[in-house]
Amino acid sequence: VSQEVVAFAPPERVMIFAGTAVYAFEAIREGMERPELFSGMVVGMMLLFVVILTGFGILGYFAWGNSVQTVVLNELSGGFGSLVQICYVLAVVCGYPLAIFPTFTICEAKLFGDFPPTLRRKWLKNVFRTALTFGMGLLAYTMAAYLPIFISMLSSDAAPQDRGRRLRARLGVDSDRL
């Protein structure tokens, strides 16, 4: 065990994970055939995630100590490490269409619902998808420093409104500016 091991992470780092998880599960609930089973599914999956992620986190922390990088894939070196990183990038790139499809479907229904199914409509939808993708990429690049606040805001909007207002007040963010 490394000499630099500290017992617990700062609470704000834990809340970033919780916010991400709540936001991700909110999308799942909307697509469930039987949403009344959502609570049990969330509890079970969160326990599984906690066990798996905590186990791997503790192993990495014990192995590398305080110098462990945020993205554990950056700790891998050599040819195998590069191969794993390339495979991860491919998985993220190939998973993007699956993740963004519901957004495109909802927005296109609102924007192009009245258009007849023509070649012009097809190209307008393609331009919209491309512009939205590049716009979100640019937004993500420019706002990377504010990622923890953004994730907290998303999770607070997925939570009951009273908790969302309290979180925004604690962060000092005026909800009228959103």
Side-chain angles (χ1 to χ4, degrees), residues 6 9 15 19 21 24 27 49 58 64 66 70 73 78 81 84 89 94 98 104 123-124 128-129 140 164-165 176:
V6 180
M15 293 311 294
F49 287 163
I58 287 172
W64 287 290
N66 217 13
T70 305
L73 293 178
V84 170
V89 167
C94 292
L98 295 173
F104 284 156
W123 279 104
L124 284 173
F128 169 73
R129 290 176 180 183
R165 280 192 294 275
D176 295 335

Coordinates of all heavy atoms in Angstrom, one line a residue, residues 6 9 15 19 21 24 27 49 58 64 66 70 73 78 81 84 89 94 98 104 123-124 128-129 140 164-165 176:
V6 N -4.9 8.3 1.4 CA -5.8 9.0 2.3 C -7.1 8.2 2.4 O -7.6 7.7 1.4 CB -6.1 10.4 1.7 CG1 -7.0 11.2 2.6 CG2 -4.8 11.2 1.5
A9 N -12.2 10.4 -0.1 CA -12.1 11.4 -1.1 C -12.9 12.6 -0.6 O -13.8 12.5 0.3 CB -12.7 11.0 -2.4
M15 N -20.2 13.5 -4.9 CA -21.4 14.0 -5.4 C -21.4 14.1 -6.9 O -22.5 14.0 -7.5 CB -21.7 15.4 -4.7 CG -22.0 15.3 -3.2 SD -23.2 14.0 -2.8 CE -24.7 14.7 -3.5
G19 N -24.4 12.6 -8.9 CA -25.2 13.4 -9.9 C -25.2 12.7 -11.3 O -26.3 12.7 -11.9
A21 N -24.9 9.5 -11.9 CA -25.7 8.3 -11.9 C -27.2 8.6 -11.9 O -28.0 8.0 -12.6 CB -25.3 7.5 -10.6
A24 N -28.3 9.7 -15.4 CA -28.3 8.6 -16.3 C -29.5 7.7 -16.1 O -30.2 7.3 -17.0 CB -27.0 7.8 -16.2
A27 N -33.1 9.0 -17.5 CA -33.4 8.6 -18.9 C -33.9 7.2 -19.0 O -34.8 6.9 -19.8 CB -32.1 8.8 -19.7
F49 N -23.0 -0.9 -8.8 CA -22.0 0.0 -9.2 C -21.1 0.4 -8.0 O -19.9 0.5 -8.2 CB -22.7 1.3 -9.7 CG -23.3 1.2 -11.0 CD1 -24.2 2.1 -11.5 CD2 -23.0 0.1 -11.9 CE1 -24.8 2.0 -12.7 CE2 -23.6 0.0 -13.1 CZ -24.5 0.9 -13.5
I58 N -10.4 1.3 -5.1 CA -9.5 1.0 -4.0 C -8.2 0.2 -4.5 O -7.1 0.5 -4.1 CB -10.2 0.1 -2.9 CG1 -11.2 1.0 -2.2 CG2 -9.3 -0.5 -1.9 CD1 -12.1 0.3 -1.3
W64 N -1.3 2.7 -6.9 CA -0.6 3.9 -7.4 C -0.5 5.0 -6.3 O 0.2 6.0 -6.5 CB -1.2 4.4 -8.7 CG -0.9 3.6 -9.8 CD1 0.3 3.5 -10.5 CD2 -1.8 2.7 -10.6 NE1 0.3 2.6 -11.5 CE2 -1.0 2.1 -11.6 CE3 -3.1 2.4 -10.4 CZ2 -1.6 1.3 -12.5 CZ3 -3.6 1.5 -11.3 CH2 -2.9 1.0 -12.3
N66 N -1.4 8.3 -4.1 CA -2.0 9.6 -4.4 C -1.8 10.1 -5.8 O -2.5 11.0 -6.3 CB -1.4 10.6 -3.4 CG -2.5 11.6 -2.9 OD1 -3.6 11.4 -3.1 ND2 -2.0 12.7 -2.3
T70 N -7.1 10.6 -12.8 CA -8.5 10.5 -12.8 C -9.0 9.4 -13.8 O -9.9 8.6 -13.4 CB -9.1 11.8 -13.2 OG1 -8.6 12.8 -12.4 CG2 -10.6 11.8 -13.1
L73 N -7.2 4.6 -17.3 CA -6.6 4.1 -18.6 C -5.3 4.8 -18.8 O -4.4 4.3 -19.5 CB -7.5 4.3 -19.7 CG -8.8 3.4 -19.7 CD1 -9.6 3.7 -20.9 CD2 -8.4 2.0 -19.7
G78 N 2.9 1.3 -22.3 CA 3.4 0.3 -23.3 C 2.3 0.0 -24.4 O 1.3 0.7 -24.5
G81 N -1.2 -0.9 -23.1 CA -2.0 0.3 -22.6 C -2.5 1.1 -23.8 O -3.7 1.6 -23.7
V84 N -5.5 -0.7 -25.3 CA -6.7 -0.5 -24.5 C -7.3 0.9 -24.6 O -8.5 1.0 -24.7 CB -6.4 -0.8 -23.0 CG1 -7.5 -0.5 -22.1 CG2 -6.0 -2.3 -22.8
V89 N -11.6 4.5 -26.8 CA -12.0 5.6 -27.7 C -13.0 5.1 -28.8 O -14.0 5.7 -29.0 CB -10.8 6.3 -28.4 CG1 -11.2 7.2 -29.5 CG2 -10.0 7.0 -27.3
C94 N -18.3 4.8 -31.0 CA -19.4 3.9 -31.6 C -20.7 4.0 -30.7 O -21.8 3.7 -31.2 CB -18.9 2.5 -31.7 SG -17.7 2.3 -33.0
L98 N -26.0 5.7 -30.3 CA -27.0 5.1 -29.4 C -27.4 6.1 -28.3 O -28.6 6.2 -28.0 CB -26.4 3.9 -28.8 CG -26.2 2.7 -29.7 CD1 -25.5 1.6 -29.0 CD2 -27.4 2.2 -30.4
F104 N -32.1 13.3 -30.8 CA -32.3 13.6 -32.2 C -33.8 13.3 -32.6 O -34.5 14.1 -33.2 CB -31.5 12.8 -33.2 CG -30.0 13.3 -33.3 CD1 -29.0 12.4 -33.6 CD2 -29.7 14.6 -33.0 CE1 -27.7 12.8 -33.7 CE2 -28.4 15.0 -33.1 CZ -27.4 14.1 -33.4
W123 N -31.9 15.9 -45.9 CA -30.7 16.7 -45.7 C -30.8 17.7 -44.6 O -29.8 18.0 -44.0 CB -30.3 17.3 -47.1 CG -29.7 16.2 -47.9 CD1 -30.2 15.6 -49.0 CD2 -28.3 15.7 -47.7 NE1 -29.3 14.7 -49.4 CE2 -28.1 14.7 -48.7 CE3 -27.3 16.0 -46.8 CZ2 -26.9 14.0 -48.8 CZ3 -26.1 15.3 -46.9 CH2 -26.0 14.3 -47.9
L124 N -32.0 18.3 -44.4 CA -32.2 19.2 -43.3 C -31.9 18.5 -42.0 O -31.3 19.1 -41.1 CB -33.5 19.9 -43.4 CG -33.8 21.0 -44.4 CD1 -35.2 21.4 -44.4 CD2 -32.9 22.1 -44.1
F128 N -29.0 19.3 -39.3 CA -29.4 19.6 -37.9 C -28.6 18.6 -37.0 O -28.0 19.1 -36.0 CB -30.9 19.3 -37.7 CG -31.3 19.3 -36.3 CD1 -31.3 20.4 -35.5 CD2 -31.6 18.1 -35.7 CE1 -31.6 20.4 -34.2 CE2 -31.9 18.0 -34.3 CZ -31.9 19.2 -33.6
R129 N -28.5 17.4 -37.3 CA -27.7 16.4 -36.5 C -26.2 16.8 -36.4 O -25.6 16.8 -35.4 CB -27.8 15.0 -37.1 CG -29.2 14.4 -36.9 CD -29.3 13.1 -37.6 NE -30.6 12.5 -37.4 CZ -31.0 11.3 -37.8 NH1 -30.1 10.5 -38.4 NH2 -32.2 10.9 -37.6
A140 N -19.0 21.5 -24.8 CA -18.3 20.6 -23.9 C -16.9 21.0 -23.7 O -16.3 21.1 -22.6 CB -18.4 19.2 -24.3
G164 N -33.7 20.2 -5.7 CA -33.0 20.9 -6.7 C -32.7 22.3 -6.4 O -31.7 22.9 -6.6
R165 N -33.8 23.0 -5.8 CA -33.6 24.4 -5.3 C -32.6 24.5 -4.2 O -31.8 25.4 -4.2 CB -35.0 24.9 -4.9 CG -35.9 25.3 -6.0 CD -37.1 26.1 -5.5 NE -37.9 25.3 -4.6 CZ -38.9 24.6 -5.1 NH1 -39.1 24.5 -6.4 NH2 -39.7 23.9 -4.2
D176 N -32.9 31.4 -12.0 CA -33.5 32.2 -13.0 C -32.6 32.4 -14.2 O -33.1 32.7 -15.3 CB -34.0 33.6 -12.5 CG -35.1 33.4 -11.4 OD1 -35.8 32.4 -11.5 OD2 -35.2 34.3 -10.6

